[in-house]
Amino acid sequence: MSSLPLRILVLEDHAFQRAYVVRVLEQLGCATVYEAADGAQALALLEAVGPVDVALCDLQMEGMDGVEFIQRVGTGGQVGAIIISSSLPADLRRAVRQMVSLLGLEFLGDMEKPLHGPKLRQLLEKRLQRMPEARPAAQPEPEVASEVQVRRALAERQLHAFYQPKFNLVTGGVEGVEVLARWQHPSGLVLSPSVFMPALERFGLLDEWLYTKMDQALAVQEQARRQGVSVNMAFNLHAGQLASRTLTANVKQLLARHGAVGHGVTFEITESGLLETSTVSLESLVHLRMMGCRLSIDDFGAGFSSMQRLCQLPFNEIKLDAEFVRTLEEEPRCLAVIASTLALGHTLGMSVVIEGIETTAQHRKLLELGCTLGQGYWYARPMSGPDLLCWLKHPQALR
């Protein structure tokens, strides 16, 4: 059996069960295993030996319990990931899993006692797969770009559209692409939106980037048409941009420039941004639909106004938040949410796109639930325009 180069902390107050778990981990080939009988002892141990990759936590114990321990290490970087091992009721374990996610820790799984070796190994291997590989030193990515930097990036066309396909879960066919943003920095790095999107929003540059991105993407769509492929382009639209009285006119102009039609474009608006919708915003939504554009309510289920907004606004697509898929295998309630959303979409005449599909097991389960449209790394990662055009000819090339 191959070894697992991981540092593990076992937090369990029952001496026999703790010894059993330590023995199982050693049999699995874990590099280093530490043990503690309560949270306070575990914190002192971490102070002495340094960070661990995984903490395997019981929750209910005398002294500092596992819940408080997780809260204490959540912001300190002392633990990389958490596995829960507890006999507490399922609803309490669910709440702790949510707490783990909110603290920014990776949640690997929830195991019943006594622990099953093969299942534990599977969870630990998942942690290994997600751990960053050692890489040569590179220029660090700036935390957030300045106004001067993003204005220069826009002016010098350093911001580029990237594309992640949406697919039919049944046939594997391409249903469209979501148009994302990347910064091809002069340093040679490709920077993520977290570096520059806050600055674009803060300094009123979202519209300029939207139209630049649309111009790039519609040019790629035009090239795809010449290859005999029709592909819908989906653009993320900040809810505040709907209040612009020039939005629909600019969209119409861009479509005309590239010989595109409205039904070849989707606008995805995040649900959390739709808490208050002005008459101008509603007018923009109506005009976009009148032009033939599709409207998608993005990250559905992550906000608090879903049902009301579905009734009030002219959306014709729901994109279910990726969190429901991410915990699909460990959380039975997620199955109910997905099934209910599919039924809701069917009743309202809206298509439902499932975000965040990363594994074959998730894909298989979603098919069983009746899902037909999805998006995620299991199918394709975001890619540049030239790569997308190549991929549309040979969809397996970049899988």
Side-chain angles (χ1 to χ4, degrees), residues 29 33 80 132 139 164 179 195 202 209 213-214 224 227 258 289 296 343 379 381 385 387-388 390 394:
V33 182
Q139 181 178 337
Q164 185 174 27
V179 184
V195 174
R202 185 180 308 123
W209 168 233
K213 180 170 61 172
M214 286 190 69
Q227 294 180 185
H258 294 280
R289 279 292 305 277
S296 176
Y379 187 67
R381 291 174 177 266
D387 283 342
L388 175 68
C390 176
H394 309 286

Side-chain angles (χ1 to χ4, degrees), residues 111-122:
M111 299 192 66
E112 296 181 357
K113 297 179 180 180
L115 274 69
H116 186 49
K119 171 66 173 176
L120 182 56
R121 182 178 183 86
Q122 182 182 9

Side-chain angles (χ1 to χ4, degrees), residues 30-324:
C30 292
T32 310
V33 182
Y34 303 104
E35 54 182 295
D38 65 25
Q41 190 178 114
L43 289 175
L45 182 64
L46 291 173
E47 189 68 29
V49 304
V52 296
D53 301 304
V54 179
L56 202 157
C57 296
D58 188 10
L59 298 178
Q60 193 168 27
M61 61 189 75
E62 296 297 324
M64 184 190 295
D65 60 30
V67 178
E68 184 177 351
F69 168 78
I70 292 170
Q71 179 71 41
R72 295 279 291 272
V73 299
T75 56
Q78 298 161 294
V79 174
I82 299 289
I83 296 174
I84 294 173
S85 173
S86 175
S87 55
L88 284 175
D91 59 332
L92 291 179
R93 300 201 306 273
R94 276 194 295 269
V96 174
R97 293 203 294 272
Q98 178 67 13
M99 188 182 84
V100 170
S101 297
L102 290 172
L103 288 168
L105 296 169
E106 181 181 0
F107 177 74
L108 291 179
D110 182 353
M111 299 192 66
E112 296 181 357
K113 297 179 180 180
L115 274 69
H116 186 49
K119 171 66 173 176
L120 182 56
R121 182 178 183 86
Q122 182 182 9
L123 296 179
L124 296 176
E125 286 177 341
K126 182 165 69 171
R127 172 60 182 168
L128 272 177
Q129 292 167 5
R130 294 178 179 176
M131 287 173 64
E133 299 176 1
R135 296 177 182 173
Q139 181 178 337
E141 197 173 277
E143 288 188 7
V144 178
S146 68
E147 180 178 7
V148 172
Q149 288 172 322
V150 293
R151 287 189 183 279
R152 182 184 300 122
L154 278 169
E156 297 178 1
R157 301 187 71 81
Q158 297 170 11
L159 300 186
H160 291 267
F162 267 54
Y163 308 85
Q164 185 174 27
K166 302 177 185 179
F167 65 100
N168 186 301
L169 275 70
V170 179
T171 67
V174 181
E175 295 288 335
V177 298
E178 180 179 359
V179 184
L180 305 171
R182 297 293 185 270
W183 184 358
Q184 294 187 325
H185 197 271
S187 66
L189 295 175
V190 178
L191 306 183
S192 69
S194 61
V195 174
F196 57 90
M197 288 304 293
L200 291 176
E201 183 174 353
R202 185 180 308 123
F203 302 114
L205 299 171
L206 285 177
D207 285 350
E208 183 177 349
W209 168 233
L210 171 66
Y211 302 136
T212 298
K213 180 170 61 172
M214 286 190 69
D215 197 36
Q216 293 178 12
L218 291 175
V220 170
Q221 185 187 61
E222 193 173 0
Q223 290 177 269
R225 281 200 304 274
R226 295 196 192 103
Q227 294 180 185
V229 180
S230 176
V231 59
N232 182 283
M233 295 284 178
F235 301 94
N236 292 291
L237 190 63
H238 192 281
Q241 293 176 275
L242 292 169
S244 169
R245 291 193 174 277
T246 61
L247 172 66
T248 54
N250 287 332
V251 169
K252 189 177 293 185
Q253 185 179 45
L254 282 164
L255 292 174
R257 181 185 304 166
H258 294 280
V261 290
H263 62 72
V265 169
T266 297
F267 289 100
E268 299 182 0
I269 301 106
T270 303
E271 175 198 343
S272 57
L274 294 168
L275 289 174
E276 295 184 8
T277 306
S278 67
T279 56
V280 176
S281 298
L282 186 54
E283 179 186 350
S284 294
L285 290 171
V286 171
H287 277 142
L288 289 172
R289 279 292 305 277
M290 289 171 64
M291 290 163 56
C293 302
R294 294 183 59 80
L295 298 179
S296 176
I297 186 164
D298 200 8
D299 295 337
F300 184 78
F304 302 98
S305 60
S306 309
M307 299 300 110
Q308 182 185 29
R309 292 312 178 195
L310 283 180
C311 293
Q312 292 177 338
L313 302 177
F315 289 94
N316 47 12
E317 179 180 278
I318 297 170
K319 289 192 78 178
L320 189 64
D321 186 66
E323 186 63 29
F324 294 104

